[in-house]
Amino acid sequence: MGGEAGTAPISGAVGLAAALKFKNALPAGWQKYEHGLLQLSEDMLKDLPYVRILGHPKLREGCLSFTVNGVHAFDVAVLADRMGIALRSGTQCAQPLLRTFNLEYVLRVSPTFYNTKEEIIKFVKAIDKIVSLLKGRNAP
């Protein structure tokens, strides 16, 4: 193994083996299901006039990044967390790319095989509620 002295990274190998075993045990069609959740997220967020979806790939993989006009990404993420919704906020380790779009921070949702359509609906309704709360207006 590797060129460094000492104990080989056994824990990493064991963890990788467990992850591969887990992935291989997933039911057939899980990737198609995830794509459906991402598509539902995108379709529903498009209906919110204050949300800007970043990127428009032919096939979205794994996550959807977006901004909420007039509301800081960290505020949205903190309030969403209190509602039981996990969003990532910040630079997403892509500061140079964000700068080219004149963005400082973005939000990211990453639905996966263990999420449900009902959770996606809850997530989008939560965004609407959070914006209403932070902007002091009634949601559309």
Side-chain angles (χ1 to χ4, degrees):
M1 293 200 73
E4 66 183 82
T7 305
I10 296 168
S11 62
V14 170
L16 177 60
L20 291 171
K21 183 178 179 182
F22 177 81
K23 183 188 168 288
N24 289 334
L26 291 174
W30 67 270
Q31 290 169 314
K32 185 177 178 182
Y33 178 75
E34 280 186 1
H35 289 151
L37 292 177
L38 274 170
Q39 189 62 55
L40 178 62
S41 300
E42 185 171 0
D43 291 345
M44 291 186 72
L45 285 173
K46 279 181 188 175
D47 290 340
L48 302 178
Y50 45 80
V51 169
R52 176 182 171 200
I53 296 171
L54 304 175
H56 302 284
K58 289 181 183 178
L59 178 62
R60 196 175 291 281
E61 283 289 337
C63 66
L64 183 146
S65 295
F66 62 100
T67 61
V68 177
N69 298 333
V71 180
H72 199 286
F74 293 134
D75 295 337
V76 174
V78 166
L79 290 173
D81 180 59
R82 300 233 172 160
M83 298 170 150
I85 298 163
L87 298 175
R88 179 156 185 221
S89 64
T91 61
Q92 318 296 328
C93 299
Q95 295 93 329
L97 178 63
L98 291 180
R99 272 188 234 116
T100 65
F101 294 113
N102 290 327
L103 295 171
E104 251 187 282
Y105 306 106
V106 298
L107 291 153
R108 185 176 78 201
V109 62
S110 304
T112 191
F113 64 89
Y114 52 75
N115 291 116
T116 65
K117 290 179 181 180
E118 292 76 23
E119 289 173 323
I120 299 303
I121 293 166
K122 177 183 174 184
F123 147 65
V124 175
K125 286 182 179 181
I127 295 296
D128 200 37
K129 184 175 182 176
I130 290 165
V131 170
S132 295
L133 230 139
L134 293 175
K135 286 191 165 189
R137 63 166 180 76
N138 290 329

